[in-house]
Amino acid sequence: MPLLSLDKACLAFGDVALLDHAELVLEPGEKVSLIGRNGAGKSSLLRVLAGGGTLDDGQVWRQPGLRIAYVAQEPDFDLGRDVFATVADGIGDAARLIAEYHRCTLALTQGEEGALDRLAELQHQLEAGDGWTLHHKVEQVIDRLKLDGAALVSSLSGGGIKRVALARALASDPDLLLLDEPTNHLDITAIGWLEELIKAFRGGVMVITHDRTFMDAVSTRIVELDRGRLSSFPGSFSAYLQRKAEMLEMEAKSNAEFDKVLAQEEVWIRKGVEARRTRNEGRVRRLEALRRERSERRDRMGDVNFKLESGDRSGQLIAELEGVGKYFDTPDGGQRWVIREFSARLLRGDRIGLIGPNGAGKTTLLKLILGELEADVGSIKCGTKQQIAYFDQFRTALDPELPLTEVISPGSDFVEIGGTKKHVIGYLEDFLFAPQRARSPVKSLSGGERNRLLLARLFARPANILVLDEPTNDLDIETLELLEQLLQEFKGTLFVVSHDRAFLDNVVTQTIVAEGEGIWREYAGGYQDWLRVSRAQMADSAAKARAAASQPAAAAAKETAKEAVKDVAKPAAKAGVKLSFNEKRELEALPGKIKALESEQSSLQQQLANPDIYRERAAEIPVMNKRLEDIDEELLTLLERWEALEARSA
């Protein structure tokens, strides 16, 4: 039985049809990625499915008793409470008792008066309503998502708050999980963790995301919302791309044929009076039907017209860092080093991606490179003729009260691009902002539209160094691909801070990666190149450690075996005991068994030394390591038995 279905759903925002007789069926266990252009209505659809919105027409059917958990783009809960109480809200009516019990437990440890009596009262209420099971469930979810239950939600980073929202949803033990842009504000490690969580989740999942690598990892189906209709594409995002390209080509051919027929009919109907006297009334009705069909056809929205004006060429050297270190004072009077002994020489035209967890110091390193911050240790030499343009992930450059035109060109109706003046409304149209919205305030825009506006503002100014801090958040896939193309053609120097792995692979030529404890290292290539090299290094280190650990154990085992052989061989020689028939057969078979195990051992070691396995078959790695340990033990046992039997037969 489906979890839910959508039947002839209609939903409009003003005169724009977000859903136009849309159909959808979601089955148990499916992992569906919902994609579509910014403003297409994806978030509105998700709210309707969650029960937080209503359709203008059509029907939503939900399986009786279906438990749905919805995680919005931005937190929809009070940030001033602690993590435990916030997560406990996910279980419903019992949340207040559980949160109060947790608070009283903490109060008791601090010696608060009256806490013990209140704790006993709450304990009785929890026992009466099966609250202990729910309390344990909340603790399990908090532990699973590696959260501190006593911490205030407001003290957490954006990624931490996103984890709390997910924990709150999972605490209700839902059958269906609806996630709206869950990867925003998560670093690459956290995105990988979320991928595993979704793949292991037993219920159904529908997620709005533009992270292409994420979709390839978790999706069993792609559903696209395009011009009010929902289209389904089984399989991963890569499979969707191929199928979608074929569909668009077929649609273009069909529309071209339709327009050709319509044009012919229009020419016929406009002939002179004499021709119209003998016209075919059926043909006239057909023309009227064609006109209606053409007027109802919703064409695909145009593409964003990105044009980036490079400023004057900067000097050949962008920055040279030698043994650079930077620290910040901690509340306890200590020091936290975010950068230690980092050296690099960065040149004009480099395309650099910065990779690291939230709080690792990516922004600090950027400011050091660009000369906006002084190092505590080491030296920095900055280049000349640098024109820097920033893209800020928090959109602090956008005043929510200003109209769009003032954001792009303050005090003027024109913007100069490449030496040519262009009207600001026409320029905004290049970024898919309709003329009637040009005077609207920034606060009326969606997250994706604000990012487009910030890009429009950024590209209206000449620059030879671009600094993009999380530029992919909220951008739809087509805009992402166009941005990638623009950046590939950019002649200046590029710095990108991003957790979008596909974006990094498509744009950067080198990466600077945080490796913990303030250590940063430079690698050639994009994200996948760094991942391949780092995993190969990890596999090599693990193999060396395993070999070093196994050598003393193997030597000790061999010595034990030799002693055992001596002990067995001496009495056997005195007594003149011969091997039995079964023992002789066992002795003959032992070399073959040992050879087979050694061959399997060698094959496993070769596979683990190949970095591709960590990307393509990561789930098999623990099993293979366990098998290697078992083989070591089996080999030692067989060798001991072989030596013992050989000694007796001698």
Side-chain angles (χ1 to χ4, degrees):
M1 180 188 292
L3 294 176
L4 58 77
S5 65
L6 205 61
D7 183 35
K8 297 178 182 176
C10 295
L11 180 66
F13 181 76
D15 58 350
V16 178
L18 302 179
L19 297 176
D20 186 4
H21 297 86
E23 305 276 343
L24 176 69
V25 175
L26 192 61
E27 300 289 347
E30 276 197 297
K31 309 294 187 289
V32 176
S33 291
L34 178 61
I35 64 173
R37 284 196 162 184
N38 295 135
K42 301 184 298 297
S43 295
S44 299
L45 171 59
L46 215 62
R47 282 193 295 272
V48 166
L49 297 180
T54 57
L55 296 171
D56 297 332
D57 196 10
Q59 186 178 12
V60 182
W61 177 88
R62 300 178 185 86
Q63 188 184 102
L66 181 70
R67 296 188 302 274
I68 299 177
Y70 168 61
V71 179
Q73 279 192 49
E74 301 299 332
D76 53 358
F77 46 82
D78 183 5
L79 302 183
R81 304 169 67 204
D82 63 52
V83 168
F84 189 96
T86 305
V87 173
D89 279 345
I91 61 175
D93 296 337
R96 185 191 60 79
L97 284 178
I98 291 172
E100 179 67 7
Y101 181 86
H102 180 72
R103 191 198 66 77
C104 283
T105 303
L106 295 176
L108 187 63
T109 61
Q110 297 167 3
E112 187 176 310
E113 188 177 348
L116 185 60
D117 293 339
R118 178 59 178 153
L119 202 63
E121 181 185 341
L122 289 168
Q123 186 172 349
H124 176 71
Q125 293 180 35
L126 286 169
E127 286 172 352
D130 194 29
W132 291 122
T133 303
L134 298 175
H135 185 274
H136 180 61
K137 185 183 292 184
V138 173
E139 288 183 328
Q140 271 187 328
V141 171
I142 287 174
D143 183 61
R144 181 182 174 192
L145 272 64
K146 297 180 173 58
L147 292 165
D148 178 6
L152 283 177
V153 177
S154 58
S155 69
L156 303 179
S157 65
I161 294 173
K162 186 70 76 174
R163 281 179 184 257
V164 172
L166 288 166
R168 194 166 178 260
L170 292 171
S172 64
D173 195 19
D175 304 307
L176 176 61
L177 200 54
L178 303 176
L179 308 176
D180 193 349
E181 294 285 5
T183 62
N184 282 0
H185 309 301
L186 294 184
D187 56 38
I188 288 175
T189 303
I191 291 172
W193 160 85
L194 180 59
E195 288 174 357
E196 295 304 317
L197 185 148
I198 289 176
K199 286 190 283 189
F201 183 65
R202 289 175 295 178
V205 177
M206 176 172 273
V207 54
I208 297 174
T209 182
H210 303 305
D211 188 320
R212 293 155 289 182
T213 307
F214 180 81
M215 280 190 277
D216 266 336
V218 305
S219 303
T220 60
R221 179 158 61 115
I222 305 293
V223 171
E224 182 181 32
L225 178 55
D226 182 17
R227 292 164 285 175
R229 300 296 178 92
L230 291 168
S231 303
S232 182
F233 302 84
S236 66
F237 178 72
S238 299
Y240 152 79
L241 284 177
Q242 183 176 353
R243 179 83 187 280
K244 180 65 176 178
E246 295 169 356
M247 285 180 61
L248 288 176
E249 185 178 355
M250 290 173 60
E251 182 182 350
K253 288 180 179 177
S254 175
N255 286 345
E257 184 64 29
F258 179 95
D259 291 343
K260 181 180 177 182
V261 172
L262 176 59
Q264 290 171 347
E265 295 300 300
E266 291 286 3
V267 169
W268 173 80
I269 200 69
R270 286 178 173 78
K271 285 182 179 180
V273 175
E274 291 299 321
R276 287 202 296 272
R277 282 178 182 169
T278 57
R279 64 189 175 186
N280 184 313
E281 292 301 327
R283 193 170 178 181
V284 173
R285 287 194 296 272
R286 177 172 175 248
L287 174 59
E288 291 172 350
L290 285 172
R291 286 172 173 169
R292 283 196 301 271
E293 187 178 344
R294 180 62 185 87
S295 66
E296 291 170 0
R297 189 171 84 203
R298 292 180 63 185
D299 293 318
R300 286 177 57 79
M301 192 186 303
D303 291 330
V304 177
N305 184 14
F306 281 146
K307 290 180 181 177
L308 177 58
E309 181 185 357
S310 298
D312 297 331
R313 279 164 60 103
S314 66
Q316 177 67 19
L317 178 72
I318 298 299
E320 186 171 15
L321 296 83
E322 187 67 39
V324 168
K326 184 68 182 176
Y327 66 83
F328 295 102
D329 295 329
T330 58
D332 60 2
Q335 295 172 340
R336 175 177 172 260
W337 287 86
V338 291
I339 298 163
R340 294 177 186 268
E341 299 180 4
F342 177 68
S343 299
R345 182 177 170 83
L346 308 176
L347 303 177
R348 182 180 64 227
D350 284 349
R351 302 166 183 276
I352 301 159
L354 276 75
I355 298 175
N358 293 332
K362 298 185 289 293
T363 303
T364 301
L365 180 56
L366 265 177
K367 288 182 176 180
L368 288 168
I369 291 171
L370 299 174
E372 297 179 6
L373 202 61
E374 291 186 4
D376 295 316
V377 178
S379 62
I380 302 173
K381 181 181 178 182
C382 292
T384 58
K385 301 179 182 177
Q386 295 183 353
Q387 295 173 283
I388 303 170
Y390 278 94
F391 180 96
D392 175 17
Q393 66 163 316
F394 299 110
R395 311 183 188 110
T396 52
L398 298 179
D399 184 338
E401 302 300 329
L402 280 181
L404 275 55
T405 51
E406 284 297 305
V407 170
I408 300 301
S409 184
S412 173
D413 287 337
F414 294 89
V415 59
E416 189 169 326
I417 304 294
T420 304
K421 281 192 173 183
K422 187 168 187 176
H423 198 280
V424 65
I425 292 179
Y427 180 71
L428 282 167
E429 280 190 274
D430 289 342
F431 288 81
L432 302 185
F433 292 106
Q436 57 267 33
R437 298 191 66 192
R439 309 290 181 187
S440 302
V442 170
K443 64 184 179 184
S444 68
L445 303 180
S446 68
E449 289 172 326
R450 291 190 189 199
N451 264 18
R452 278 213 311 271
L453 181 65
L454 195 55
L455 287 170
R457 182 179 185 273
L458 184 76
F459 297 159
R461 292 155 174 74
N464 53 38
I465 297 178
L466 269 184
V467 181
L468 305 181
D469 190 356
E470 292 295 349
T472 65
N473 282 351
D474 301 318
L475 289 183
D476 59 51
I477 293 165
E478 292 181 55
T479 307
L480 267 177
E481 291 172 348
L482 289 164
L483 177 59
E484 288 172 355
Q485 182 180 347
L486 172 80
L487 295 177
Q488 287 163 2
E489 296 168 356
F490 179 54
K491 303 300 183 186
T493 306
L494 179 67
F495 292 93
V496 178
V497 177
S498 179
H499 300 136
D500 187 321
R501 293 154 290 179
F503 184 78
L504 287 169
D505 282 333
N506 294 337
V507 168
V508 306
T509 57
Q510 64 207 81
T511 52
I512 300 175
V513 184
E515 301 195 335
E517 304 296 327
I519 302 300
W520 294 77
R521 289 197 174 88
E522 196 174 0
Y523 295 85
Y527 170 79
Q528 290 296 338
D529 297 297
W530 161 70
L531 195 64
R532 183 168 56 252
V533 171
S534 61
R535 282 177 170 171
Q537 291 173 345
M538 288 171 60
D540 186 50
S541 300
K544 288 178 180 177
R546 190 163 53 244
S550 64
Q551 282 175 0
K558 286 180 181 177
E559 288 300 320
T560 304
K562 288 178 182 177
E563 293 300 322
V565 168
K566 291 177 184 176
D567 293 341
V568 173
K570 287 176 183 177
K574 289 178 183 178
V577 178
K578 292 185 178 181
L579 297 179
S580 67
F581 176 75
N582 286 336
E583 286 176 329
K584 286 180 181 178
R585 291 189 64 181
E586 182 185 358
L587 180 59
E588 290 170 1
L590 279 172
K593 290 182 179 180
I594 291 170
K595 184 177 180 180
L597 283 173
E598 288 176 338
S599 176
E600 184 184 357
Q601 183 184 52
S602 175
S603 173
L604 286 171
Q605 288 172 343
Q606 288 176 8
Q607 290 181 65
L608 287 169
N610 183 354
D612 290 342
I613 193 173
Y614 294 86
R615 182 177 68 255
E616 299 168 0
R617 298 159 53 198
E620 299 176 29
I621 293 171
V623 178
M624 296 170 76
N625 282 324
K626 179 65 169 61
R627 179 57 185 153
L628 276 176
E629 294 174 7
D630 293 343
I631 288 174
D632 286 339
E633 293 178 7
E634 290 176 34
L635 279 173
L636 288 173
T637 302
L638 291 177
L639 285 169
E640 289 175 9
R641 181 62 174 162
W642 187 26
E643 291 182 9
L645 291 175
E646 279 283 348
R648 288 177 61 193
S649 68

